[in-house]
Amino acid sequence: MTTIGNVLIVGGGTAGMTLAVALQRKDIQAEIVEINAEWTTQGIGIALIGPTLRALKTIGLLDRCIQEGFGFSEILVGNAEGKITASIDHPRLLGPNYPAMIGIARPAFHKILAETSRAAGAHIRLGLTVSSLKQGPSAV
């Protein structure tokens, strides 16, 4: 089996940047091409739950995300008068030292991933996309 040494990632969003960090940590060179000329994100905030928290912990970013956001393990439901009508506890899948979920501003999350993917050595190319691929004997 051929050893993979380089990977082209099409899309520099959350998934693409996370993949770049994970690959670089396995000594696989990653290059991201992103169609947008500016590397930004849309939206206000995002809630990250169990499986995402596990993935972030695996690549060493969970603690920084918690510092930049806020952790929580309970959701309170209230009515229009402000009375709490229900409480939902969520399991802490990573153990008692980590919350069940975190809330973080999308720009802050994007910044963490962008800085980390660059620091890990990923090559970032903005304003580009892939229009075709050609299969060779040992590479695409």
Side-chain angles (χ1 to χ4, degrees), residues 13-103:
T14 300
M17 290 186 286
T18 303
L19 177 59
V21 172
L23 290 171
Q24 294 291 131
R25 301 240 163 120
K26 296 289 186 181
D27 295 322
I28 297 172
Q29 181 61 47
E31 180 173 351
I32 296 174
V33 294
E34 168 58 45
I35 197 166
N36 294 309
E38 293 185 30
W39 206 14
T40 60
T41 188
Q42 295 180 341
I44 303 299
I46 188 170
L48 307 174
I49 60 173
T52 304
L53 300 185
R54 279 195 297 253
L56 290 170
K57 188 169 193 275
T58 299
I59 62 172
L61 296 181
L62 179 57
D63 290 331
R64 184 167 174 204
C65 289
I66 292 171
Q67 289 171 355
E68 292 289 326
F70 60 93
F72 60 101
S73 298
E74 178 183 28
I75 295 177
L76 302 175
V77 179
N79 62 21
E81 290 78 40
K83 180 181 177 193
I84 302 300
T85 59
S87 171
I88 305 165
D89 286 318
H90 290 270
R92 295 173 178 240
L93 298 180
L94 296 173
N97 295 327
Y98 287 99
M101 299 167 272
I102 63 172

